[in-house]
């Protein structure tokens, strides 16, 4: 059974954390060069692989004592908040252009770019933390993959317009505050439990 509350919380946290990420910019670059649907197919498949790996890792963490899991996830959330608050803004990533515009070449380029760029990324680690925290792999997986697909879609279709209206620093700070709150809450549960 899928919990809409857990799915919504995970969606919000992952969405805000991924918006200022380099993969949103990479999607934007790919989307301006190639057919958007081809790019999205590859990017969406790569994100699905990453979420599956993260949820599996988080599910393994649920086998540990609850207080230890809360302490670990709290520390990781605080670390993620620090990364968001103190990282330098990157310029657009260099994207290699496929030699032809076929579906498989373009989708493959998007898949490989995201697969490599996102491995061990903050949102993948956050997804593993959330899977451990909520012990609800389906809801966490659904929320995370929908958030990543939404960011990819925004990046591919309308990233430039969004970034003109909403400052990237504001989005980053909101994501960091959410992670800070989740970190403090998890540590409180570790101490109080």
């Amino acid at each position: 059974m899928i919990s809409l509350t857990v799915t919504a919380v995970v969606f919000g946290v992952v969405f805000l954390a991924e918006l200022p990420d380099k993969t949103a910019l990479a999607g934007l670059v790919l989307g301006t060069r190639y057919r958007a649907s081809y790019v999205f197919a590859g990017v969406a498949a790569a994100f699905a692989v990453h979420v599956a790996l993260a949820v599996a890792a988080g599910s393994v963490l649920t086998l540990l004592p609850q207080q230890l899991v809360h302490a670990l996830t709290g520390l990781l959330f605080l670390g993620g908040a620090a990364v968001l608050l103190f990282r330098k803004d990157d310029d657009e990533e260099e994207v290699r252009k496929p030699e032809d515009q076929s579906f498989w070449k373009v989708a493959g380029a998007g898949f490989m770019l995201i697969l490599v760029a996102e491995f061990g990324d903050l949102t993948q680690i956050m997804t593993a933390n959330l899977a451990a925290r909520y012990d609800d792999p389906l809801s966490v997986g659904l929320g995370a993959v929908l958030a990543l697909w939404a960011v990819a879609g925004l990046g591919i279709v309308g990233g430039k317009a969004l970034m003109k209206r909403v400052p990237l620093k504001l989005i980053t700070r909101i994501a960091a505050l959410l992670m800070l709150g989740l970190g403090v809450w998890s540590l409180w549960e570790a101490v109080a439990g």
Side-chain angles (χ1 to χ4, degrees), residues 126-189:
M126 283 175 47
T127 302
N129 287 341
L130 290 163
R133 174 167 181 58
Y134 290 112
D135 194 17
D136 187 352
L138 242 49
S139 300
V140 170
L142 181 62
V145 83
L146 290 176
L148 293 168
W149 288 354
V151 170
L154 284 172
I156 292 166
V157 175
K160 283 185 181 172
L162 176 69
M163 295 306 183
K164 286 180 183 175
R165 294 199 168 106
V166 181
L168 190 58
K169 284 187 177 190
L170 176 63
I171 294 167
T172 302
R173 290 215 169 99
I174 291 170
L177 287 174
L178 281 172
M179 290 182 69
L180 184 66
L182 285 168
V184 169
W185 184 356
S186 293
L187 289 174
W188 171 254
E189 286 183 334

Side-chain angles (χ1 to χ4, degrees), residues 3 22 49 55 82 89 124 132-133 149 162 183:
S3 164
K22 64 188 173 295
V49 169
V55 168
D89 295 330
Q124 190 178 31
R133 174 167 181 58
W149 288 354
L162 176 69

Side-chain angles (χ1 to χ4, degrees), residues 19-43:
L19 261 182
D21 196 59
K22 64 188 173 295
T23 52
L25 295 173
L28 177 102
V29 171
L30 286 170
T32 60
R33 294 182 181 182
Y34 310 111
R35 183 178 287 188
S37 60
Y38 292 4
V39 173
F40 185 78
V43 168

Side-chain angles (χ1 to χ4, degrees), residues 7 17 46 49 67 71 79 91 113 122 130 147 157 164:
T7 301
V49 169
Q67 283 184 302
D91 293 330
L113 177 71
L122 178 63
L130 290 163
V157 175
K164 286 180 183 175

